[in-house]
Amino acid sequence: MKTIISIFLLLGISISGQNYRFTYDFTFTRDSLQMDKTDSERMVLDITKKGSRFYSEDVAYSDSLMNAEFQKQIRGNNMNINISGIEQKGTVKLIVEKQYPKYETILINTLGGSIYEISDDRKMIWKIENETKKIGKFLAQKATTSMYGRKWIAWFSTELPFPDGPYKFHGLPGLIVKIESSNQSHVFELKGVKTLPKDYELKKQNSAFASSNNIAMDYKRYKKTFQNYLVNPVSSMRSMSSGGSVIKMTDENGKEMDLNKIMREEEEAQKKANAKINNIIELENLK
């Protein structure tokens, strides 16, 4: 207990009644055939009394800028919304929300223009090892599990008494400060800790494209949806068009563009990109 108290005093953290932001470096390999090529993104885990949210720092920032510009143009009665001038940063679009105390887990992801909210009630079975080591400032203990078609090695610290962690990972007697797949193609490592205001609340992602019509489903149905998306990446746009929805797109000069041509070009480009998707974090979704 003395160790825990001293660590939190050092960081200026008071456990009682506080909200926290933990930042992680996420290092990942997109192509299993090119393991030497890695990408990285700064991810954020916000923890409150009611639950947590895990998301990309850059994507959240870009979305907030786009939403502000979107709302500004609407207030100005602009009928041709244009937010192309805002640079989109970040590549990890997914968000994971956990609801305490049962740790009900929701993955929010966008495929082909549709936003999906995927509930996942699978239990994580951990094997806690005796091995310990320092991860950053914290003494951490080893644990292993098999989830999502991969084996994972985690390091959790009871000095941070939150049974949570990056992505969907949770259920250990302390915050997961590092977790990696057995082939090290996906690695999350804690890099920063700070307190948030006591009145901080988790809210839905503030995106210009957020909708109350997000598609809710369980992970089994989502797996089929994801596999269909890899083959038919613009199916949702085609469904909207064939269903009677009027979709118009204009170029920078206000000239209406050929939607069918746009969809054909988008489909071709996305199929090429999807063909290289072979090392996603939930590998079992490809099988």
Side-chain angles (χ1 to χ4, degrees):
M1 181 62 71
K2 289 182 180 178
T3 301
I4 296 174
I5 292 173
S6 63
I7 288 289
F8 275 89
L9 288 176
L10 179 64
L11 295 174
I13 296 176
S14 170
I15 300 175
S16 178
Q18 286 287 351
N19 303 312
Y20 304 97
R21 175 163 293 167
F22 299 94
T23 55
Y24 290 81
D25 276 351
F26 177 31
T27 305
F28 54 98
T29 304
R30 297 180 186 275
D31 189 345
S32 61
L33 301 178
Q34 296 180 321
M35 294 294 288
D36 58 325
K37 294 185 178 180
T38 61
D39 292 286
S40 63
E41 192 140 350
R42 179 57 61 94
M43 306 296 292
V44 175
L45 176 66
D46 287 344
I47 290 182
T48 70
K49 292 182 192 176
K50 294 182 179 180
S52 67
R53 175 180 290 118
F54 183 71
Y55 58 93
S56 162
E57 187 175 68
D58 279 343
V59 171
Y61 178 72
S62 296
D63 280 354
S64 67
L65 291 181
M66 285 194 293
N67 185 65
E69 182 62 24
F70 183 83
Q71 298 299 331
K72 177 182 175 182
Q73 292 187 38
I74 287 179
R75 288 194 299 271
N77 295 319
N78 185 355
M79 300 305 294
N80 295 306
I81 304 297
N82 184 359
I83 54 176
S84 59
I86 297 176
E87 181 183 1
Q88 179 66 50
K89 296 183 178 181
T91 61
V92 181
K93 309 292 186 181
L94 57 83
I95 300 168
V96 175
E97 296 179 346
K98 304 185 191 92
Q99 240 179 26
Y100 302 161
K102 294 183 178 180
Y103 283 80
E104 296 163 329
T105 302
I106 300 290
L107 170 69
I108 302 171
N109 199 17
T110 302
L111 296 176
S114 297
I115 302 175
Y116 295 87
E117 296 188 6
I118 307 102
S119 60
D120 192 344
D121 60 359
R122 288 172 289 179
K123 302 299 181 185
M124 293 188 179
I125 301 174
W126 294 99
K127 180 182 178 182
I128 298 178
E129 312 280 357
N130 291 326
E131 186 178 349
T132 61
K133 70 176 180 179
K134 277 270 192 160
I135 303 290
K137 297 178 180 179
F138 303 101
L139 180 63
Q141 187 170 351
K142 185 178 180 181
T144 58
T145 191
S146 293
M147 288 295 295
Y148 318 125
R150 298 182 183 276
K151 292 183 178 180
W152 297 90
I153 301 167
W155 296 89
F156 67 94
S157 178
T158 56
E159 294 172 359
L160 297 168
F162 308 100
D164 209 333
Y167 194 59
K168 297 179 181 179
F169 298 105
H170 67 279
L172 287 166
L175 186 75
I176 297 171
V177 295
K178 183 176 181 179
I179 185 166
E180 61 186 355
S181 57
S182 58
N183 66 350
Q184 297 183 320
S185 67
H186 292 76
V187 182
F188 300 93
E189 184 168 357
L190 182 68
K191 293 297 179 181
V193 183
K194 75 173 186 178
T195 56
L196 294 171
K198 287 188 176 182
D199 60 351
Y200 180 81
E201 293 184 0
L202 299 174
K203 298 178 181 177
K204 288 293 183 184
Q205 190 74 10
N206 192 22
S207 169
F209 307 104
S211 169
S212 59
N213 297 319
N214 291 355
I215 304 169
M217 58 179 63
D218 63 22
Y219 74 92
K220 290 182 180 178
R221 183 180 166 199
Y222 174 73
K223 180 178 179 178
K224 295 179 181 178
T225 302
F226 180 78
Q227 291 176 346
N228 181 63
Y229 162 74
L230 295 181
V231 179
N232 303 295
V234 296
S235 59
S236 62
M237 187 180 291
R238 291 190 186 281
S239 295
M240 289 175 64
S241 180
S242 62
S245 299
V246 179
I247 305 174
K248 291 185 179 181
M249 300 182 72
T250 58
D251 61 20
E252 57 185 9
N253 298 315
K255 182 180 178 181
E256 187 170 342
M257 302 168 70
D258 185 336
L259 184 61
N260 287 324
K261 181 181 179 182
I262 291 172
M263 285 193 291
R264 285 195 302 271
E265 291 174 349
E266 173 65 21
E267 184 172 38
E268 183 179 348
Q270 196 60 55
K271 277 186 176 181
K272 287 181 179 179
N274 287 355
K276 297 180 180 180
I277 296 177
N278 60 26
N279 197 41
I280 58 175
I281 188 168
E282 297 200 30
L283 195 60
E284 64 186 13
N285 284 346
L286 296 176
K287 301 174 183 179

